[in-house]
Amino acid sequence: YSERPIKGLPLVAAEINKKGGLLGKHPIELYFRDTQTKPDVGAREARSVILNDKVQTIIAAWSSAVAMAIQEVIHEYKVLHLAATSNSSKIVHENYTPWTFLFGPDSRMQSNSTVVAVVKMIKEKGWKSYVTLGLDYEWGRDAQKVFVESLKQASPETKLGKEFWAKLGETDFTSYITAIMGMKPDFMFGAIAGRDNETFIQQAKAAGLFRRIAYPGVFLPVTELMQQRKTLPRGIIGINRCPFFAHM
């Protein structure tokens, strides 16, 4: 996720600075730091750029766990925090601070909207059972929990067979794929994103999982759809956060 913004932000900043900067009078300076997808590193780097580089806005991070760690720092120093990708509901609920703004819907909104669509498919297709596969960190846990709890209320007769959890950065999903196919659920819900999701989809496709088990509600950003346009399995039902371009 970070590669594209790192390449794109300098171009945007240069364009704005040609007009005098923000509001025509505030030139933009950019500083990049690597959080290593670790909360303690994210908090340390946030404190560093605030104190040493005097930044007034931090755009971060991919990981919701890292974003929440950064929140503690920006709240202390009253610096604006734009959470561009991370969207755990805890960021704007339990861990609320007026200095943090989400760019997209939080995971409560995302998973609840997925449930609305899945319930329609359950009724149409007669689905009885499902499993979940999530990344074992803040966003994966939160997105999965909301989906399971909301689906239980909306369709109590639909049974959850098992919860599978993969570590962040997993490169081999074979054991999960084999176990899921062995259980033969009607569908599966995935709280997976980014490179991990790309890896899972390609390995699951090769194993024939999508020919047997429906996969609705997976998070598929447009950039990932573009990158995988030649290899992405057909029939997957994806969701996207705030597709502003759909109305352009």
Side-chain angles (χ1 to χ4, degrees):
Y1 276 121
S2 298
E3 293 176 2
R4 290 183 291 272
I6 287 174
K7 293 177 181 178
L9 281 172
L11 301 177
V12 175
E15 187 175 320
I16 294 173
N17 285 341
K18 283 182 181 179
K19 302 175 183 178
L22 287 172
L23 303 178
K25 58 183 178 180
H26 302 292
I28 297 173
E29 295 182 30
L30 297 174
Y31 301 86
F32 293 98
R33 296 291 185 271
D34 185 4
T35 69
Q36 301 175 34
T37 320
K38 298 177 180 177
D40 58 333
V41 175
R44 183 188 70 210
E45 294 296 341
R47 192 179 301 275
S48 173
V49 292
I50 291 172
L51 295 178
N52 299 324
D53 300 308
K54 311 301 179 184
V55 302
Q56 295 173 300
T57 301
I58 292 178
I59 303 175
W62 180 86
S63 162
S64 290
V66 175
M68 289 170 62
I70 289 174
Q71 278 186 286
E72 303 303 319
V73 179
I74 62 97
H75 189 76
E76 177 183 352
Y77 292 99
K78 296 179 173 57
V79 169
L80 190 63
H81 173 212
L82 304 179
T85 303
S86 47
N87 81 326
S88 169
S89 61
K90 290 182 182 177
I91 294 173
V92 287
H93 291 277
E94 293 88 340
N95 215 52
Y96 169 77
T97 169
W99 298 96
T100 292
F101 292 85
L102 287 187
F103 277 17
D106 66 45
S107 50
R108 288 189 192 179
M109 299 161 69
Q110 183 174 312
S111 291
N112 278 323
S113 63
T114 303
V115 166
V116 173
V118 169
V119 167
K120 290 182 180 180
M121 287 182 273
I122 288 173
K123 293 177 180 178
E124 292 172 359
K125 302 177 184 295
W127 290 342
K128 304 293 184 184
S129 63
Y130 75 105
V131 299
T132 65
L133 174 59
L135 293 178
D136 194 7
Y137 82 112
E138 175 56 40
W139 173 79
R141 287 279 177 179
D142 194 46
Q144 189 267 2
K145 178 182 178 182
V146 174
F147 179 87
V148 170
E149 291 179 349
S150 296
L151 185 60
K152 186 175 182 179
Q153 291 183 351
S155 181
E157 67 279 4
T158 307
K159 303 303 179 185
L160 172 59
K162 188 171 182 178
E163 301 175 357
F164 293 92
W165 297 102
K167 71 177 186 295
L168 195 61
E170 180 62 79
T171 58
D172 185 2
F173 287 89
T174 304
S175 62
Y176 304 103
I177 294 167
T178 301
I180 290 170
M181 292 178 69
M183 293 186 67
K184 300 179 180 179
D186 292 314
F187 72 95
M188 66 171 288
F189 172 75
I192 323 172
R195 187 70 54 83
D196 297 354
N197 192 36
E198 180 180 347
T199 300
F200 167 72
I201 288 176
Q202 295 306 325
Q203 292 178 2
K205 176 186 176 183
L209 183 145
F210 303 119
R211 292 196 297 269
R212 305 182 189 181
I213 301 166
Y215 191 33
V218 62
F219 180 40
L220 281 174
V222 169
T223 47
E224 290 183 27
L225 289 173
M226 292 168 65
Q227 289 174 340
Q228 301 181 60
R229 62 189 179 280
K230 295 181 180 179
T231 60
L232 197 68
R234 294 304 183 248
I236 291 178
I237 303 167
I239 61 172
N240 199 311
R241 298 174 190 163
C242 291
F244 60 90
F245 45 81
H247 301 287
M248 294 176 67

